[in-house]
Amino acid sequence: MTNPHFPLCIGIGTYRGGGGAGIATLCLGADGSWRHGEAYAAAANAAFSVYAPRHRLHYIVDEAERGSVGVHRFADTGWEMLASVGVDGAAPCHIALDPTETRLAVANYASGSVALLRLDPRTGLPAGPVQVHANRGSGPNAARQEAPHAHWVGFSPDGQWLYQTDLGTDEILAFPIDAAGTLGAVQRAYRARPGSGPRHLLLHPRLGKRAYLIGELDNTLSVLDRSTGIFVHRETVSTLPPDWQGESIVAHVAINRASDRLYVSNRGHDSIAVFALDDGGAPTLLDHAVTGGAYPRFFALLEDAGLMVVAHEKSQTVTTLAFGADGRLTPTGLSIAVAGAASVIIPEPAAL
C-alpha cells in the first residue's frame, strides 16, 4: 500500500428494500479489521453518486418509484443534506456531472428516461426546470427488455453531448447540448447487439475517441470509437471464462488511473474480470478475481490504499481485493455485512 490513511472510512449506499438504513459508514483499521460507523439515513436507496470537487458536494440518486437526487456535503461533523429535487422519472439508477459542474444528468431506469438539471455555478445547487426525454421501444428479452430502461448517462469531454445507454432497447442515445444547456433532438448513436442489454459506457480518459460498453445481458465488453454523436464498433470480448456454464450478468466497469487496466464485475460468476489495455486501448483478458461475495453490483478503486472495495447485492456484504503490481487482484479475505449494499461512496475523495 502507498501511504494509506487509516482508519480508511468509506460510505456504502444501500437499498431500503434490502434493509439498508441510508449510507452505511465503514472504517478499515491499520490492523485490517472493519468497524461500522454511524449510518446516514437521509440518503436512501443510494444506488449511484457523483462528486463535484469545486463545491465539495455529493449528488446521490434515490432509486425509488418517484425518484429524486439529493445534494449532500460531508464535513468534520458528518453528512448533511442541502437539497433534494425530483427528476420526473422512476428509479433513477445513474448520475453524471458535466465538465463545468453546471449540469447534472440522471438515468431513470423504470421510466426509460434521461433528466438534465441545471446547477447554480455559485452554489452547485439545482436551479431551474428539469429537462426530460423518455425513450421508446423494446428488445428481444421479454423479461428484461419489455420497455426502455435508461441505465447510464455521461457527457462528452467538451460537455457538448449527453450520452445515454438503454438496456431495454439495445441502444446508445446522444443529445446535443447548446450553450444555454438545452437538450437538442435525440439521435441513435449506436445500435448494440439485440438482447445484449447495454448497461454502462466508459469513455477512455486519455484516448479521446475510444469507449467501452458493457452488455449486462450477454456478459460482454465492446470496444467502440466515438466521433461526436456516433459510436462505431471495433470488437467485442466476453467478460466470463470460456468454460463458464452458469447464469451471470455484468454490473460495473472502471479504469485505473494509469489507463492501462480495465475492470468489469460479473454477477453470478461473482468475479472481477481484469483486462490489460494497450497503448491504443485494445483489451486483453488477464484474469478473473473472485470477489468473496454474491452479486458484485459495484466496486471502487482506492489505488492509493492499494485496494478495490466491492459491494455485493445478494450476499449484502462488502469485501476488499488487493492490487498487484500488474493490476491483477487478490482477495484479502476481509468481509463485512452491510444490509442492502448497493454502491461505494468516498466521503472525501481528495483525501485518498
Side-chain angles (χ1 to χ4, degrees), residues 73-132:
R73 175 174 285 133
F74 184 82
D76 293 340
T77 55
W79 288 97
E80 175 189 12
M81 175 180 273
L82 303 182
S84 178
V85 60
V87 292
D88 292 350
C93 62
H94 193 269
I95 191 167
L97 193 64
D98 86 326
T100 66
E101 299 187 17
T102 60
R103 300 181 186 106
L104 194 70
V106 181
N108 297 311
Y109 180 84
S111 54
S113 61
V114 61
L116 183 65
L117 295 79
R118 186 174 72 84
L119 302 176
D120 188 317
R122 298 167 300 169
T123 65
L125 298 178
V130 179
Q131 301 176 66
V132 180

Side-chain angles (χ1 to χ4, degrees), residues 263 272 274 287-292 306-308 310 319-334:
Y263 302 91
I272 303 292
V274 183
D287 197 12
H288 288 92
V290 175
T291 60
L307 295 172
M308 174 185 285
V310 187
T319 64
T320 55
L321 308 176
F323 287 107
D326 60 357
R328 296 175 193 246
L329 298 165
T330 302
T332 65
L334 296 178

Side-chain angles (χ1 to χ4, degrees), residues 144 151 167 196-197 199 214-219 249-250 267:
R144 294 293 311 278
H151 218 311
L167 184 147
S196 60
R199 181 179 172 94
I214 54 173
E216 175 171 337
L217 305 182
D218 68 353
N219 299 276
I249 55 176
V250 302
R267 293 177 289 179

Side-chain angles (χ1 to χ4, degrees), residues 10-274:
I10 60 174
I12 305 298
T14 65
Y15 284 126
R16 183 173 289 164
I23 297 178
T25 299
L26 296 182
C27 291
L28 180 63
D31 61 353
S33 63
W34 286 107
R35 66 174 177 82
H36 276 282
E38 185 177 352
Y40 175 56
N45 305 305
F48 213 91
S49 66
V50 66
Y51 179 71
R54 182 195 303 174
H55 299 292
R56 298 181 65 186
L57 297 177
H58 293 264
Y59 302 93
I60 305 175
V61 301
D62 181 347
E63 192 177 347
E65 183 176 353
R66 290 188 175 183
S68 63
V69 171
V71 184
H72 307 262
R73 175 174 285 133
F74 184 82
D76 293 340
T77 55
W79 288 97
E80 175 189 12
M81 175 180 273
L82 303 182
S84 178
V85 60
V87 292
D88 292 350
C93 62
H94 193 269
I95 191 167
L97 193 64
D98 86 326
T100 66
E101 299 187 17
T102 60
R103 300 181 186 106
L104 194 70
V106 181
N108 297 311
Y109 180 84
S111 54
S113 61
V114 61
L116 183 65
L117 295 79
R118 186 174 72 84
L119 302 176
D120 188 317
R122 298 167 300 169
T123 65
L125 298 178
V130 179
Q131 301 176 66
V132 180
H133 178 274
N135 196 18
R136 305 172 108 182
S138 59
N141 186 324
R144 294 293 311 278
Q145 297 182 307
E146 80 294 347
H149 292 302
H151 218 311
W152 177 95
V153 284
F155 294 89
S156 61
D158 61 10
Q160 295 180 8
W161 288 88
L162 174 64
Y163 302 119
Q164 173 213 325
T165 64
D166 196 310
L167 184 147
T169 64
D170 296 314
E171 297 173 298
I172 299 174
L173 303 179
F175 304 82
I177 304 175
D178 66 20
T182 302
L183 282 179
V186 64
Q187 64 186 57
R188 180 187 293 161
Y190 180 70
R191 167 64 82 179
R193 184 164 67 183
S196 60
R199 181 179 172 94
H200 285 184
L201 181 70
L202 187 152
L203 305 182
H204 195 292
R206 296 187 181 179
L207 303 175
K209 68 176 185 177
R210 187 52 47 91
Y212 306 92
L213 179 68
I214 54 173
E216 175 171 337
L217 305 182
D218 68 353
N219 299 276
T220 56
L221 172 70
S222 293
V223 182
L224 311 177
D225 280 344
R226 179 179 63 90
S227 176
T228 59
I230 299 295
F231 291 85
V232 178
H233 180 264
R234 293 305 176 201
E235 66 171 313
T236 296
V237 297
S238 176
T239 65
L240 295 171
D243 58 349
W244 172 252
Q245 299 296 320
E247 295 185 0
S248 191
I249 55 176
V250 302
H252 189 51
V253 59
I255 194 169
N256 69 344
R257 192 179 298 154
S259 303
D260 61 1
R261 295 292 183 271
L262 184 140
Y263 302 91
V264 182
S265 61
N266 295 305
R267 293 177 289 179
H269 188 250
D270 296 338
S271 66
I272 303 292
V274 183

